[in-house]
Amino acid sequence: ILNVEQSPQSLHVQEGDSTNFTCSFPSSNFYALHWYRWETAKSPEALFVMTLNGDEKKKGRISATLNTKEGYSYLYIKGSQPEDSATYLCAFTPRSGGSNYKLTFGKGTLLTVNP
Amino acid sequence: NAGVTQTPKFQVLKTGQSMTLQCAQDMNHEYMSWYRQDPGMGLRLIHYSVGAGITDQGEVPNGYNVSRSTTEDFPLRLLSAAPSQTSVYFCATSSGGEHTEAFFGQGTRLTVV
């Protein structure tokens, strides 16, 4: 069983604060690292899929970095807004058949942004 | 396009009953998966399929069967429901390419009493 760890488990910030969370994963046999945003009562939606060491991706106020050699990824949110409140999941895919279909998820970081 | 459609949204079963959770997609994706979500456990892979006629076990397959007779449909069967199968179930699809994300259905909340 692959070990994907996310920290912190939960986080409360004030509107306007910037914040970041961590995802750690096995550094050997890496294929891809996914980030998903999961709002209550909805289904997870993809933010980023990252495959290359040193990758940095950005979508609006949210960005992510990837270090495959040491096995971690950071997700950053700049100027948090109440609508950013959600659980943020990362998922790891090992190089096994070279496909992106078999994801191992972390337990998520629950972000609450207070107005 | 509907994307990924799961039915039912909610279900209550008695221990020992059987049922099928339906998942249908209109995205022409080859890869389909079933996950279960339990408090404090994250999403765990039950079964997956890389194409019609091909299925395989994930991390927690016991108590569940799947089949994939068409590209569009990937039903999950509980043969004899147990309280431990109380969970939220998500179906996901992917085209499987290097940069391709998974697309999730809305989930089925199952309670076994």
Side-chain angles (χ1 to χ4, degrees):
Chain A
I1 295 177
L2 300 170
N3 201 23
V4 179
E5 300 284 343
Q6 290 189 247
S7 62
Q9 278 189 325
S10 64
L11 194 55
H12 289 253
V13 301
Q14 290 298 124
E15 183 175 355
D17 287 350
S18 293
T19 187
N20 65 86
F21 344 120
T22 305
C23 173
S24 63
F25 52 85
S27 56
S28 60
N29 209 29
F30 175 86
Y31 185 72
L33 192 283
H34 296 220
W35 281 101
Y36 291 85
R37 182 172 179 275
W38 191 2
E39 290 182 72
T40 303
K42 294 187 178 180
S43 53
E45 292 184 347
L47 289 170
F48 307 112
V49 178
M50 309 175 80
T51 57
L52 297 175
N53 184 45
D55 247 357
E56 290 189 33
K57 297 212 171 182
K58 188 174 181 181
K59 186 181 288 189
R61 294 180 290 97
I62 305 177
S63 60
T65 60
L66 179 68
N67 183 324
T68 61
K69 294 189 189 309
E70 296 181 44
Y72 65 84
S73 175
Y74 294 135
L75 188 79
Y76 301 91
I77 302 179
K78 184 177 178 182
S80 302
Q81 299 297 309
E83 57 265 32
D84 295 329
S85 297
T87 296
Y88 291 84
L89 299 171
C90 71
F92 167 77
T93 302
R95 184 170 295 280
S96 173
S99 183
N100 237 351
Y101 57 85
K102 200 173 171 183
L103 301 172
T104 298
F105 283 85
K107 295 179 182 179
T109 293
L110 174 60
L111 173 68
T112 305
V113 182
N114 300 312
Chain B
N1 286 348
V4 184
T5 303
Q6 285 184 240
T7 55
K9 287 190 169 52
F10 303 94
Q11 183 71 50
V12 178
L13 286 179
K14 292 183 179 178
T15 298
Q17 284 185 315
S18 63
M19 81 159 294
T20 300
L21 279 62
Q22 301 290 347
C23 177
Q25 55 112 349
D26 61 3
M27 306 172 84
N28 202 31
H29 283 171
E30 287 298 317
Y31 303 124
M32 297 186 76
S33 308
W34 277 102
Y35 294 87
R36 59 178 288 174
Q37 165 68 37
D38 302 294
M41 295 297 291
L43 286 163
R44 292 183 293 169
L45 183 64
I46 305 171
H47 284 284
Y48 64 96
S49 169
V50 301
I54 306 169
T55 63
D56 207 346
Q57 296 181 349
E59 182 186 349
V60 288
N62 291 343
Y64 308 95
N65 279 355
V66 291
S67 60
R68 184 93 180 271
S69 56
T70 67
T71 299
E72 293 78 18
D73 299 297
F74 191 43
L76 179 72
R77 296 185 187 85
L78 283 70
L79 300 177
S80 179
S84 61
Q85 294 179 303
T86 294
S87 188
V88 182
Y89 292 84
F90 286 95
C91 176
T93 75
S94 168
S95 67
E98 187 175 279
H99 297 279
T100 304
E101 69 266 36
F103 294 85
F104 287 84
Q106 292 296 310
T108 296
R109 184 174 293 276
L110 176 68
T111 302
V112 183
V113 298

